[in-house]
Amino acid sequence: MSKDSLEKKIDPVLELFRTDLKDKIRRLNVGIEAKGQENLLGEDLLSLLREIKAETRLIRQETLFQLFDQIEILFKEMLINHQTHQLSENSSLRHALNLLQEFCELDAQTATPWLHSHRLQFEEATNRLKQDEVKPANEHSTNPPEELELDHGMMEIFLTEVQVQTAVLNSGLIYLEEHSESEEVLNTLMRAAHSIKGAARILSLKGIVQLAHVMEDYFVAAKQKKISLEAHSVDILLEAVDFLEDLSKVSAAKLVQKIKQSDQTITLLVKKIVDLLKAENVKISDGDPASQLILEENGLLSAKSIGVEDLNKKLEDVTNLSAAERVLRVTAENLNRLMELAGEALVESHWLQPFSIELLNLNKEQRKLGEYLEQLRDSLDKEHLSEKVIYYLDEVQEKGKEYLDHFSERYSELEMFIRRHSNLSDRLYREVIASRMRPFADGVEAFPRMVRDLAHQLHKKVRLQIIGRKTLVDREILEKLEAPLGHLLRNSVDHGIGLPEIRTKLGKPPEGLIKLEAEHRGGMLIISVSDDGRGIELETIRAVAIKKKFVSREIGEKLSEKEIIDILFLPGFTTSEKVTEISGRGIGLNIVQNIILELGGKLQVNINPGKGMVFQLHLPLTLSVMRALIVKISGEAYAFPLARIESALLVPKADIQFLENQEYFKFGRENIGLVSAFQILNVAPPESSKEIYPVILLNIQGSHYGLVVDSFLGEREIVVQELDKRLGKIPDLSAGALMEDGTPLLVLDVEDLVHSIDALLSKGHLESIHQRTQAIKELKKRILVIDDSITVREIERRLLQNNGYEVDVAINGIDGWNALKTNRYDLVITDFDMPKMNGLELVRQIKNDLELKSIPVMIVSYKEKEEDRLIGMAAGANYYLSKSRFHEELLLNAVKDLIGKPESINPIIKD
Amino acid sequence: MVNPSDELIKKHGQKGAASANKLLERPPEEGYIEEWTELLQNPKIKDKTFTEESGVIFRLAQEWLALPTLVLVEVTNQRPFHKIPHLNYPAFLGTVNFRGQLWMGVDMHRFLDIEIEPGAKPNGRMLAMEQGNKRWIFPVDEVYGVHHFDRQSLNNVPITVTKSLVNYFQGVFSWNGKNVAYLDAYLLFRSLERSVL
């Protein structure tokens, strides 16, 4: 990345979010002030909040997300208790909104750091809201804890049960709405409601028992065809499911309180469902409606077992039907440990094979001994042998043979064991790796509901079809895909699928179809989101891009199809005239693409104007296993991720030419500059020079580099593991891994490497790859300037450079510290207040370091009090300059006092 | 509770029960009660002067040292280290495979400034240690094993010991006629964190 983009610091995505947020906060405020018309307005505000919340998640502002999450909870609480008119008097809410308002009004440049530095304030605001949430309950509860002093463990079980069953209810109800009524699905629904009832009964949660009971009644009635499911009734049932789902998300400790608070809601829900039943003259049962039916149905099932296959097929269509697979919670840490141990077991098992070969060699030697004995016997003068000698000779040969036989038996046992053992460890390893995978269905459970609600809201008819539910996806990838997939689906519903009337006119079925598909193909995970909507005309994109000044007219008119599609992914681009709550802000696609790239994948779009649009995500199957090219650099193993290199070449020495002291070779028509890897990595050069250079070709944003390594070790699948966190980010490295023989190897960070190459080339430090430079360079004194303000940094850098010093800059204490560890400096000039590691800590670290403590340190700070100066000097600084008194002459004189003139007196011999 | 004699009655009938009763309910010997009262009244005074310490004894060149057993994870065989580019602290060895995990290694000879004897034959062992999630592994020349000793027997570090070492010792105890320097794990970890990383 170039310096410029680092220093601008304006995050375009955050900017868009802020502009958007400003308007939404205004609307929230209006809504809160307009007391009275609570119900209508309340729902609107709630969806507004949900929208913002989703965005914060998308732009990955966890703190903001937490805050909005809490505001949403507060709103819901108020809505349920019909207290929305009190919102305007809630000081915690006011406080939170003011903070957000402030955030929206900042300058573009300061937004990111402000957000960073106000983290605590946001957290505090979140906590205040949290406390508010608890309060009313304490006031209301007449009869505190002892009434419902329930077993904690039982409540946990209840909550899990409700969680599992609500997922079943959700998908079942949506299935029913989309398809004709199906008995099997109704059975599942019945069972789900029944299970919730059972769990609630154990805890004597009367309200929940009642609610589950009437739901069960309803499903039984539907199954007996006494009642027919309509959109309206599904809405009510979903409302009940929502309530239960919400309930299942509270902690066990708060469950009782929550149920008490929701007393009214429960009664209301029960009444609504009872009304539905009454309308059809269905009697409410007293007993256990489902259990009898389940018995009946079991009999029925066995009777018509021919239909079983058919049934199974249908069942598969409903997610998680019987929660077939039990899922356990295991921490990621645990899983990683398991993987490492399984890997180690595999490595250990490899030790056995060479060992057995060694034994075999030993055996061969022993056989030779037998042969020698035989020869010895032959060469003896038989006539003169005493009986004793012959006896012992026979014995020796006899025993020798016996032992060899024994050995052979043992040896074949060992062979068998080796085979079993390596087979076992291999399977163990694969199984552990596989345990990182989850079925695709686990990550997309929420989408059918989301699509349904959205479609209703937009008066559209949309069906979401999920294909490949069982496709295995890495847990980590699955988690990270939720936001981008959600976004693509929202996009499709909002922009892709048209209103039923319009669709009919175009000769399409009124109901739109969105397909979400996951499959493994060619070692990749392919996920596609396709719709049969209107797609986008390329010309529309072109026109909008020109109109909104994303490209100039001349360039815009020449853009190819592919380039036009690329425009879709630019931040801020949208073809939507109107920004809705659902989509159209233009932030989304850009972020979707970034997330996919981050996961090491890519995103493709196919537009079929008038017929639909397909987004295809190509992702690695797992993040923990990577195909890599293993090479040797400075005698040690390193890995290049295969996906990140262009190719690997063997270049004969004869093909290498010199140009301005730089080595290069011709590849096709291009001259490719060569750099040796050991130099970039700052490790020892290889021992021998070769006639043929193994070269890795890197291509980053169009520029090619050839990196010379010692040798290629081959292509392999490696299981990556994080390097010790204490090391921080090491330049040019991304992770570690183990070779089959258990020796460590390091995975290179190709992007970083290219930066390092760039830096090396531009500094003119590039050494010949043949030999180390022996030239004596007259080195200038080097100064490290550390300041988080770019202005200060630049002023100081220019000033010192103009006066002949060599200057490096660092943007904070940590950065400075890293620079100090890797380079030699004659002087450090640092700021006092900096993020991450402040100047004081840095000075202390320098002065505590054996190698570095002799480097003089100057502090330049806007803290000008005498006591600040004393603190700085006490920490070990050699000079303290306050920024208010800063002027060029003063700084230069101080530098000269500390390290003298720019030229080093003793030239340093570089080796 | 079941009276033991009841049980015996069931088992052995009336006659056996009678003799059992006789046995169990016999009067205590003279002085028995007094003796036990005395004993229970004054709980045994523990020898407070003895505080047990336990350290794993190992050798670096000519120096014998002991690491508190609490921080020891495992004594393991030597394996190859992989250098980490850009981290050039001289005592940092790079990363090594320990139980399938990449641990960071340190050259303790260098770190503690102990001169390596020419022609020494190390037996290829490494010590893995951990304290508060911080992990290090380092090669040693020989490992004796775990030794228990009384904290009181720790002497001050004699002045003859290399100066740079002093910072990391709690004291010296004698074992098999040798002086063993007992390391202060806390100081050692802190200093490793600070200077190596």
Side-chain angles (χ1 to χ4, degrees):
Chain A
M1 211 188 292
S2 73
K3 243 186 209 164
D4 286 339
S5 59
L6 256 182
E7 286 172 1
K8 255 187 220 155
K9 274 188 190 161
I10 300 176
D11 182 354
V13 169
L14 191 67
E15 270 329 281
L16 286 158
F17 170 71
R18 286 202 309 137
T19 346
D20 209 15
L21 183 63
K22 199 169 170 179
D23 181 49
K24 284 185 176 156
I25 296 284
R26 189 187 52 76
R27 280 159 62 192
L28 272 181
N29 276 325
V30 171
I32 291 168
E33 292 306 325
K35 317 164 187 178
Q37 330 156 17
E38 51 182 74
N39 260 338
L40 193 71
L41 209 53
E43 290 290 350
D44 271 354
L45 291 183
L46 210 53
S47 63
L48 191 62
L49 274 172
R50 287 205 180 112
E51 190 53 40
I52 307 178
K53 202 171 92 175
E55 282 176 29
T56 55
R57 165 111 328 156
L58 207 60
I59 62 166
R60 306 215 192 146
Q61 293 292 351
E62 188 53 29
T63 351
L64 288 176
F65 174 80
Q66 294 295 350
L67 181 60
F68 279 108
D69 194 32
Q70 210 51 53
I71 297 181
E72 194 197 328
I73 291 174
L74 176 75
F75 266 64
K76 264 195 206 156
E77 210 78 54
M78 293 292 190
L79 209 60
I80 289 166
N81 298 327
H82 304 281
Q83 294 173 331
T84 32
H85 54 279
Q86 284 177 13
L87 278 173
S88 57
E89 283 141 38
N90 187 321
S91 68
S92 309
L93 180 64
R94 249 313 104 234
H95 173 75
L97 289 175
N98 284 343
L99 197 60
L100 288 164
Q101 186 79 37
E102 197 183 334
F103 169 58
C104 291
E105 255 139 41
L106 294 169
D107 280 339
Q109 282 91 343
T110 44
T112 311
W114 188 88
L115 206 54
H116 206 261
S117 59
H118 283 65
R119 213 194 145 108
L120 281 178
Q121 279 89 326
F122 276 110
E123 273 165 13
E124 192 220 316
T126 312
N127 284 334
R128 272 177 72 174
L129 285 163
K130 247 185 220 160
Q131 279 155 14
D132 276 14
E133 179 203 357
V134 188
K135 247 186 249 157
N138 289 344
E139 288 161 14
H140 289 310
S141 63
T142 42
N143 220 4
E146 71 270 13
E147 192 201 352
L148 275 171
E149 189 78 46
L150 294 171
D151 183 0
H152 212 78
M154 291 306 292
M155 285 200 270
E156 291 282 3
I157 295 172
F158 169 73
L159 290 174
T160 324
E161 181 73 49
V162 176
Q163 255 169 39
V164 171
Q165 301 303 346
T166 46
V168 174
L169 287 170
N170 240 326
S171 39
L173 280 169
I174 285 164
Y175 181 90
L176 281 185
E177 200 183 24
E178 282 170 3
H179 304 73
S180 56
E181 282 175 27
S182 127
E183 249 182 49
E184 296 79 36
V185 176
L186 277 169
N187 279 335
T188 344
L189 290 173
M190 227 160 64
R191 268 189 230 111
H194 189 73
S195 302
I196 295 180
K197 187 167 80 176
R201 192 173 281 150
I202 293 171
L203 292 183
S204 329
L205 302 171
K206 284 189 197 128
I208 309 294
V209 172
Q210 221 182 346
L211 181 61
H213 184 79
V214 291
M215 286 170 82
E216 195 181 329
D217 267 341
Y218 186 92
F219 296 133
V220 171
K223 196 188 155 201
Q224 293 166 343
K225 311 259 186 237
K226 289 182 187 163
I227 211 166
S228 65
L229 270 131
E230 287 152 13
H232 169 64
S233 29
V234 171
D235 275 338
I236 289 175
L237 288 165
L238 281 176
E239 203 182 314
V241 173
D242 272 352
F243 166 75
L244 289 170
E245 206 182 336
D246 258 15
L247 191 71
S248 73
K249 282 177 188 153
V250 300
S251 64
K254 280 192 177 174
L255 177 64
V256 171
Q257 198 186 74
K258 172 96 184 172
I259 289 181
K260 275 191 172 177
Q261 281 173 29
S262 322
D263 214 29
Q264 277 191 346
T265 324
I266 298 175
T267 324
L268 195 71
L269 283 168
V270 171
K271 193 178 168 297
K272 278 184 182 172
I273 299 174
V274 169
D275 285 348
L276 285 178
L277 287 166
K278 275 187 186 155
E280 304 283 336
N281 285 325
V282 178
K283 232 179 79 188
I284 317 294
S285 73
D286 312 324
D288 234 342
S291 53
Q292 280 170 331
L293 270 163
I294 289 169
L295 283 177
E296 256 171 51
E297 156 217 323
N298 281 344
L300 222 76
L301 268 183
S302 54
K304 50 167 192 177
S305 59
I306 320 140
V308 165
E309 208 170 300
D310 207 36
L311 178 86
N312 277 343
K313 229 175 168 184
K314 267 185 197 163
L315 289 188
E316 207 174 290
D317 229 22
V318 182
T319 33
N320 269 348
L321 210 63
S322 45
E325 235 179 305
R326 213 156 68 92
V327 176
L328 296 177
R329 271 173 204 274
V330 182
T331 64
E333 169 103 7
N334 259 333
L335 220 50
N336 284 343
R337 285 298 304 136
L338 268 181
M339 202 156 80
E340 286 155 7
L341 287 174
E344 186 66 356
L346 190 64
V347 166
E348 286 292 315
S349 77
H350 291 331
W351 174 84
L352 281 167
Q353 196 61 49
F355 176 73
S356 104
I357 291 170
E358 257 171 58
L359 280 186
L360 204 60
N361 286 338
L362 208 62
N363 183 246
K364 267 187 205 150
E365 298 296 316
Q366 271 195 322
R367 278 184 201 285
K368 256 186 217 157
L369 201 63
E371 283 162 26
Y372 288 140
L373 271 179
E374 194 58 46
Q375 283 165 15
L376 177 68
R377 179 193 281 269
D378 289 348
S379 45
L380 284 175
D381 185 357
K382 284 184 188 102
E383 319 235 309
H384 294 92
L385 290 180
S386 72
E387 251 176 52
K388 245 185 177 173
V389 173
I390 293 175
Y391 170 76
Y392 280 117
L393 202 57
D394 285 348
E395 270 304 276
V396 168
Q397 280 194 308
E398 185 69 23
K399 286 283 170 201
K401 253 190 91 196
E402 202 181 306
Y403 295 155
L404 278 176
D405 287 346
H406 269 298
F407 181 90
S408 298
E409 274 169 40
R410 294 287 92 80
Y411 182 76
S412 57
E413 278 170 30
L414 176 69
E415 281 281 271
M416 294 281 277
F417 169 78
I418 292 174
R419 213 170 307 146
R420 281 199 314 267
H421 185 262
S422 54
N423 186 296
L424 207 58
S425 7
D426 197 55
R427 272 172 26 211
L428 171 69
Y429 187 65
R430 279 167 204 281
E431 197 63 43
V432 173
I433 297 243
S435 73
R436 289 183 55 93
M437 311 290 265
R438 297 293 318 142
F440 184 57
D442 277 14
V444 298
E445 257 169 29
F447 290 145
R449 180 69 199 277
M450 184 196 85
V451 167
R452 172 195 183 269
D453 288 356
L454 211 62
H456 275 216
Q457 201 181 327
L458 297 166
H459 312 293
K460 291 177 180 176
K461 282 191 177 166
V462 184
R463 190 158 69 87
L464 175 67
Q465 191 182 1
I466 298 178
I467 302 164
R469 289 172 187 280
K470 285 185 180 161
T471 306
L472 291 177
V473 183
D474 189 292
R475 283 163 193 270
E476 229 174 301
I477 294 181
L478 200 57
E479 253 168 48
K480 289 189 177 146
L481 278 181
E482 202 188 325
L485 286 181
H487 184 86
L488 292 177
L489 289 172
R490 270 197 299 276
N491 245 341
S492 284
V493 179
D494 195 20
H495 302 314
I497 310 281
L499 291 169
E501 309 85 68
I502 299 174
R503 288 178 60 92
T504 317
K505 255 184 224 165
L506 292 168
K508 291 183 188 176
E511 188 185 54
L513 176 68
I514 300 178
K515 277 195 218 167
L516 178 58
E517 239 175 310
E519 62 168 331
H520 289 177
R521 199 195 297 154
M524 298 284 280
L525 168 69
I526 313 282
I527 296 178
S528 60
V529 179
S530 52
D531 63 56
D532 63 350
R534 57 188 156 223
I536 304 183
E537 292 283 347
L538 287 179
E539 291 316 307
T540 319
I541 306 176
R542 196 196 299 275
V544 174
I546 294 171
K547 192 177 144 207
K548 296 195 176 165
K549 302 221 162 70
F550 279 89
V551 288
S552 69
R553 181 163 297 276
E554 303 89 77
I555 295 174
E557 276 162 6
K558 282 182 208 145
L559 289 178
S560 71
E561 188 177 326
K562 198 189 158 297
E563 284 165 327
I564 287 183
I565 290 179
D566 283 344
I567 292 181
L568 280 179
F569 296 104
L570 292 177
F573 185 85
T574 172
T575 55
S576 212
E577 288 299 313
K578 172 178 96 159
V579 171
T580 67
E581 277 166 21
I582 298 122
S583 57
R585 289 170 312 279
I587 308 178
L589 277 184
N590 177 250
I591 295 173
V592 169
Q593 194 185 34
N594 285 345
I595 295 174
I596 306 297
L597 283 179
E598 225 169 82
L599 289 170
K602 61 181 180 186
L603 178 58
Q604 273 180 4
V605 195
N606 278 317
I607 302 176
N608 201 347
K611 296 206 176 129
M613 200 151 167
V614 184
F615 286 92
Q616 208 169 54
L617 283 56
H618 295 241
L619 293 158
L621 283 184
T622 154
L623 291 182
S624 51
V625 183
M626 178 199 278
R627 278 210 80 77
L629 178 67
I630 317 290
V631 303
K632 245 186 189 167
I633 299 170
S634 179
E636 292 185 306
Y638 287 86
F640 283 92
L642 265 195
R644 311 310 293 266
I645 63 176
E646 184 108 335
S647 59
L649 310 163
L650 289 169
V651 182
K653 204 172 178 176
D655 288 0
I656 291 169
Q657 300 165 49
F658 278 88
L659 191 71
E660 289 174 0
N661 217 7
Q662 144 101 66
E663 281 163 300
Y664 70 94
F665 70 102
K666 267 197 172 10
F667 183 64
R669 283 185 184 173
E670 201 178 350
N671 282 336
I672 292 172
L674 280 175
V675 185
S676 28
F678 78 84
Q679 223 184 322
I680 300 290
L681 295 179
N682 208 359
V683 290
E687 274 155 21
S688 58
S689 79
K690 288 196 183 124
E691 288 309 302
I692 290 178
Y693 289 144
V695 173
I696 305 276
L697 202 60
L698 303 177
N699 174 4
I700 299 285
Q701 283 152 9
S703 20
H704 284 97
Y705 299 94
L707 206 58
V708 182
V709 298
D710 301 1
S711 59
F712 298 140
L713 296 181
E715 194 185 308
R716 238 154 278 184
E717 230 160 46
I718 53 173
V719 178
V720 294
Q721 53 175 287
E722 211 179 341
L723 288 174
D724 199 318
K725 284 194 187 76
R726 291 173 293 168
L727 295 175
K729 162 74 181 142
I730 302 162
D732 308 326
L733 295 184
S734 69
L738 294 175
M739 306 263 282
E740 301 98 323
D741 65 354
T743 53
L745 78 95
L746 297 174
V747 183
L748 294 164
D749 181 333
V750 171
E751 227 128 274
D752 249 21
L753 272 179
V754 173
H755 292 167
S756 303
I757 295 172
D758 257 350
L760 200 71
L761 289 174
S762 60
K763 275 182 194 159
H765 280 279
L766 195 60
E767 294 169 26
S768 152
I769 51 170
H770 289 300
Q771 73 249 69
R772 288 171 272 173
T773 355
Q774 258 127 50
I776 295 166
K777 271 194 185 171
E778 205 193 348
L779 282 186
K780 285 176 177 172
K781 290 202 176 123
R782 269 174 102 178
I783 300 175
L784 180 65
V785 170
I786 310 167
D787 203 307
D788 57 333
S789 145
I790 171 185
T791 333
V792 178
R793 236 171 21 230
E794 277 308 287
I795 291 175
E796 291 177 0
R797 186 176 68 84
R798 293 209 180 124
L799 176 65
L800 293 165
Q801 258 173 6
N802 290 343
N803 281 279
Y805 294 97
E806 219 172 276
V807 184
D808 278 350
V809 291
I811 53 168
N812 59 40
I814 294 280
D815 194 25
W817 179 245
N818 288 340
L820 279 163
K821 277 201 294 188
T822 47
N823 294 302
R824 178 195 62 82
Y825 295 101
D826 299 291
L827 172 68
V828 176
I829 301 181
T830 178
D831 186 16
F832 216 120
D833 286 315
M834 283 181 295
K836 288 209 173 152
M837 185 200 279
N838 68 34
L840 210 55
E841 285 168 59
L842 179 70
V843 175
R844 287 202 185 113
Q845 280 216 32
I846 294 174
K847 294 300 170 184
N848 275 327
D849 189 283
L850 283 175
E851 310 261 301
L852 300 174
K853 66 180 174 196
S854 59
I855 302 176
V857 179
M858 182 194 290
I859 294 181
V860 178
S861 165
Y862 55 78
K863 288 193 169 173
E864 45 200 279
K865 287 198 206 120
E866 177 62 14
E867 56 193 85
D868 292 323
R869 197 184 73 86
L870 287 177
I871 289 171
M873 298 302 269
N878 304 69
Y879 194 86
Y880 192 99
L881 183 67
S882 82
K883 279 182 192 166
S884 56
R885 293 200 299 139
F886 178 92
H887 69 86
E888 305 192 344
E889 211 56 29
L890 200 60
L891 181 75
L892 279 176
N893 283 338
V895 169
K896 264 182 212 149
D897 282 349
L898 288 170
I899 58 169
K901 285 186 182 152
E903 294 76 29
S904 281
I905 302 157
N906 301 316
I908 290 161
I909 299 165
K910 244 201 149 191
D911 67 343
Chain B
M1 230 187 102
V2 186
N3 187 339
S5 53
D6 288 349
E7 294 252 292
L8 287 171
I9 290 166
K10 269 185 222 155
K11 228 177 175 180
H12 300 283
Q14 221 46 313
K15 199 182 159 200
S19 54
N21 271 347
K22 209 170 149 194
L23 179 72
L24 289 168
E25 288 168 11
R26 70 188 192 281
E29 276 169 49
E30 206 176 320
Y32 176 86
I33 292 175
E34 288 74 16
E35 192 187 328
W36 274 99
T37 316
E38 179 79 8
L39 213 68
L40 295 173
Q41 216 166 26
N42 309 316
K44 195 187 163 195
I45 302 159
K46 275 186 191 159
D47 186 3
K48 277 185 185 155
T49 52
F50 189 86
T51 346
E52 194 181 275
E53 285 277 337
S54 143
V56 52
I57 297 181
F58 62 95
R59 183 172 63 85
L60 294 176
Q62 74 285 5
E63 302 277 354
W64 284 92
L65 303 121
L67 184 72
T69 314
L70 265 180
V71 299
L72 178 80
V73 180
E74 194 176 307
V75 179
T76 173
N77 289 332
Q78 183 120 32
R79 291 181 117 170
F81 284 87
H82 193 304
K83 272 197 211 70
I84 301 216
H86 304 302
L87 296 184
N88 301 327
Y89 183 73
F92 183 50
L93 289 173
T95 186
V96 70
N97 173 8
F98 176 64
R99 296 181 183 164
Q101 224 171 12
L102 291 173
W103 280 41
M104 296 301 144
V106 69
D107 180 346
M108 209 47 98
H109 295 89
R110 247 182 145 150
F111 186 75
L112 296 177
D113 217 356
I114 295 172
E115 247 176 75
I116 301 161
E117 290 172 320
K121 259 197 185 167
N123 68 359
R125 293 276 189 274
M126 301 196 292
L127 298 189
M129 58 179 189
E130 179 169 12
Q131 190 178 53
N133 274 332
K134 296 182 173 93
R135 297 149 169 181
W136 293 102
I137 196 160
F138 58 93
V140 298
D141 296 318
E142 194 177 331
V143 181
Y144 161 73
V146 175
H147 176 68
H148 296 269
F149 61 95
D150 182 2
R151 172 141 204 107
Q152 296 304 309
S153 71
L154 275 185
N155 296 318
N156 287 336
V157 184
I159 317 160
T160 47
V161 174
T162 331
K163 212 170 168 230
S164 67
L165 282 168
V166 178
N167 296 332
Y168 306 108
F169 291 168
Q170 302 187 43
V172 170
F173 62 87
S174 80
W175 161 80
N176 277 0
K178 294 181 182 88
N179 278 336
V180 178
Y182 190 46
L183 286 161
D184 184 326
Y186 178 72
L187 284 181
L188 186 67
F189 272 88
R190 277 201 48 135
S191 170
L192 281 171
E193 294 291 308
R194 208 174 39 229
S195 29
V196 178
L197 294 177

